[in-house]
């Protein structure tokens, strides 16, 4: 009979796996896992409710490693507690095709709730997950039936604390009173430049008072190497129901390494064979690399405990199902991410086509939301303090507050925080988040868009005021390079619709797209409705299509958004036949089969592209022989009509461009 090893040894197993895997890879970060080993024992062994046998259990606690460079800590925990992550994968840390890349990636190894590494975003994802839990609980729980009741835990370090986004998201978490959010701060006084200086030269925040000011419960000055003390702090955090909790844990980075502990050297480089041997000696770990004694394995194994925890919840669910069969069905649908049976966005498109309104596409977007929001309870909208401009609110939108419930978040002026919170909402499950700001400020949130694309999340961005057509606010607010640069992000679909019908199609595509984010680029100014027959309406979803053809066309004018009307006007003025191609989404068009793409843009047909943005991007479609009517400088402050004229966005100029390429 083997008996479970003491917790001290369980912690040392994490140390050993981290230093050995980093050494084997000859790259990585041993310091953080070695410094947070006891904290990991206190949380994962004593407090976390999860089921390694079923990582997708809906009511599991969520765990986010915001200081994602310490990935070996998470991989070791997943392996040891019994997730399907064999030791062979730990041995292949950071190698091509392994499930253990340099930073934890959602979807690779089971149990990884979000991709982390870009500091500050993990804790902000955790805020989104905690919001999701609170919203789902308010929507589905009934007296005597606590169907949704779990916590969200996050580890974060000095790096996350320094990042601006942590200020945005954590302030919002305090305001919303996310009582089930528990963060542990790895307060080790070391970040990368500690190998050249001392952290007090760049970081002297009073973290305790900072978080108290946000409205958090702060449990400060906990010895992060004292498992009992950490356990007490975690229990106290769990008792708090109305405030998020930050536990400030004093730790020593690289703890156990005789010469490198508490130095910048332990942060992000292998300790080296000599130091590793000395560490083994110092902590009394006699086992060879990647060998974990049975007693330690037994201590860590959480499969049986996890099965029991989920079984208890399954009983809660069965009771709930008996009492509220329809709600139970709806809950399962939401968690799976399926759309409601019978939901079809086709009617939206037809309706827009019948109405034929000339309005701004941001307004068309709001009209679409008037239908989508009541039909899809999973939609959680919001705006970074531009609700009235982004037109992201519908009549059925209810504001989310401290008390829970609702489907619309006033994010405040926090674009990046909004992006990461949206990712957390999507990752938790049960929600399709959409959020608005001006297109020009997509830069503020850009890396969160990238993370959504990398993770394949269904998030939707409502970026309004999509060109110099916004007018008087001037060049600070006029996007020029944004449409093109967003299109460079792999797996992000970008739509820039030209009227109400294209806007409805874009929204439908965003909702139906399960495996990636969508950005909707919408106009401030009115855009004319374009008449199309049904077959043409059906082609919009292909991203690019012939909007207006001419027999024997000798050139194609490709346009997006507000510039489509210019293409049509130029077509009328020209005495040579040209075809007008509307291209609301280049990425969607690029995914169409070759026959379709060649039918829309035949090989050898000279091309002109028009977009009120930088010209380089369009060379991909028009080639070096084609022409682009665009703008390669910043805009000006003036009424929109004056600006379009001033910068050459006129039918006459498009005519000139066409003539220049047709021989
Ligand atoms: C946004 C972002 N900027 C920079 C980095 C590079 N980086 C990785 S870890 C780190 C220092 C982090 O310090 P801390 O969180 O205290 O980690 P510790 O050394 O204590 O483990 C930096 C700058 C990053 N991963 N993400
Ligand atoms: Mg640190």
């Amino acid at each position: 009979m083997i008996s479970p090893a003491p917790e001290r040894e369980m912690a040392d197993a994490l140390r050993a796996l981290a230093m050995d895997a980093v050494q084997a890879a000859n790259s990585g970060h041993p310091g953080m896992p070695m410094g947070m080993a006891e904290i990991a024992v206190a949380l994962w062994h004593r407090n976390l409710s999860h089921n390694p046998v079923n990582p997708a259990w809906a009511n599991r606690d969520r765990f986010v490693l915001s200081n994602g460079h310490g990935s070996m800590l998470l991989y070791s925990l997943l392996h040891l507690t019994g997730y399907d992550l064999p030791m062979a994968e730990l041995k292949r840390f950071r190698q091509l095709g392994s499930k253990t890349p340099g930073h934890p990636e959602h979807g690779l190894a089971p149990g990884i709730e979000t991709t982390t590494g870009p500091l500050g975003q993990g804790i902000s994802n955790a805020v989104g997950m905690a919001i999701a839990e609170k919203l789902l609980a308010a929507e589905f729980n009934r007296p005597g039936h606590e169907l949704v009741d779990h916590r969200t835990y996050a580890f974060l370090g000095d790096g996350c604390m320094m990042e601006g986004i942590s200020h945005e998201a954590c302030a919002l978490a305090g305001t919303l009173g996310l009582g089930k959010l528990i963060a542990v701060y790895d307060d080790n006084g070391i970040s990368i430049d500690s190998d050249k200086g001392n952290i007090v030269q760049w970081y002297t925040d009073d973290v305790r008072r900072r978080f108290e000011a946000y409205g958090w419960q702060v449990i400060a000055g906990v010895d992060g190497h004292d498992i009992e003390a950490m356990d007490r702090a975690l229990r106290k955090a769990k008792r708090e129901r109305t405030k998020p909790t930050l536990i400030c844990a004093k730790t020593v980075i690289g703890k156990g390494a005789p010469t490198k502990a508490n130095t910048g050297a332990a942060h992000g480089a292998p300790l080296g064979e000599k130091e590793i041997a000395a560490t083994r000696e110092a902590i009394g770990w006699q086992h060879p690399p990647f060998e974990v004694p049975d007693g330690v394995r037994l201590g860590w194994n959480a499969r049986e405990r996890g099965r029991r925890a989920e079984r208890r919840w399954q009983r809660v669910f069965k009771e709930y199902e008996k009492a509220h069969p329809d709600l139970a069905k709806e809950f399962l649908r939401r968690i799976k991410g399926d759309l409601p049976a019978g939901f079809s966005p086709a009617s939206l498109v037809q309706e827009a086509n019948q109405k034929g309104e000339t309005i701004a596409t941001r307004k068309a977007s709001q009209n679409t939301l008037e239908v989508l929001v009541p039909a899809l309870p999973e939609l959680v909208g919001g705006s970074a303090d531009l609700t009235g401009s982004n037109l992201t609110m519908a009549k059925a939108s209810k504001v989310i507050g401290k008390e829970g419930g609702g489907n619309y978040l006033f994010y405040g002026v926090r674009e990046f925080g909004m992006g990461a919170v949206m990712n957390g909402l999507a990752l938790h499950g049960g929600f399709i988040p959409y959020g608005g700001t001006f297109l020009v400020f997509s830069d503020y949130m850009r890396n969160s868009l990238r993370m959504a694309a990398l993770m394949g999340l269904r998030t939707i961005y409502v970026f309004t005021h999509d060109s110099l057509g916004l007018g008087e606010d001037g060049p600070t607010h006029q996007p020029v390079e944004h449409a093109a640069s967003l299109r460079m992000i792999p797996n992000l679909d970008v739509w820039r619709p030209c009227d109400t019908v294209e806007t409805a199609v874009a929204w439908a595509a965003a909702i139906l797209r399960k495996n990636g984010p969508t950005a909707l680029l919408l106009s401030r100014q009115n855009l004319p409705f374009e008449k199309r027959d049904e077959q043409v309406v059906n082609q919009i979803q292909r991203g690019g299509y012939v909007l207006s053809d001419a027999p024997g066309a000798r050139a194609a004018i490709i346009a997006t958004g507000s510039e489509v009307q210019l293409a049509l006007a130029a077509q009328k003025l020209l005495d040579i036949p040209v075809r007008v191609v509307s291209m609301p989404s280049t990425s969607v068009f690029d995914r169409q089969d070759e026959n379709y793409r060649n039918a829309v843009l035949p090989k050898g047909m000279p091309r002109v592209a028009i977009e009120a943005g930088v010209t380089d991007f369009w060379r991909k479609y028009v080639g070096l022989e084609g022409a682009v009517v665009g703008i390669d400088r910043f805009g000006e402050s003036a009424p929109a009509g004056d600006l379009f004229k001033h910068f050459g966005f006129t039918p006459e100029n498009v005519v000139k461009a066409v003539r220049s390429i047709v021989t």
Side-chain angles (χ1 to χ4, degrees), residues 141-147 316 319-320:
N141 288 356
R142 290 294 179 271
H145 301 282
E146 297 285 305
L147 189 62
V316 173
E319 291 295 313
Y320 182 83

Side-chain angles (χ1 to χ4, degrees), residues 40-56:
V41 171
L43 177 59
W44 279 66
H45 182 55
R46 295 204 189 180
N47 286 285
L48 193 71
S49 171
H50 65 129
N51 182 9
V53 185
N54 178 16

Side-chain angles (χ1 to χ4, degrees), residues 32 69 117-119 157-160 163 186 188 190-192 253 267:
M32 179 283 221
H69 54 278
L119 296 171
D158 301 296
C160 292
E163 286 291 351
D186 182 28
N188 60 17
I190 298 282
S191 69
I192 292 185
I253 193 170
H267 163 87

Side-chain angles (χ1 to χ4, degrees), residues 621-641:
Y621 297 96
V622 304
L624 292 176
E625 320 72 42
V628 185
V629 179
I631 171 169
D632 288 309
R633 48 155 292 184
F634 297 113
E636 296 275 0
S637 175

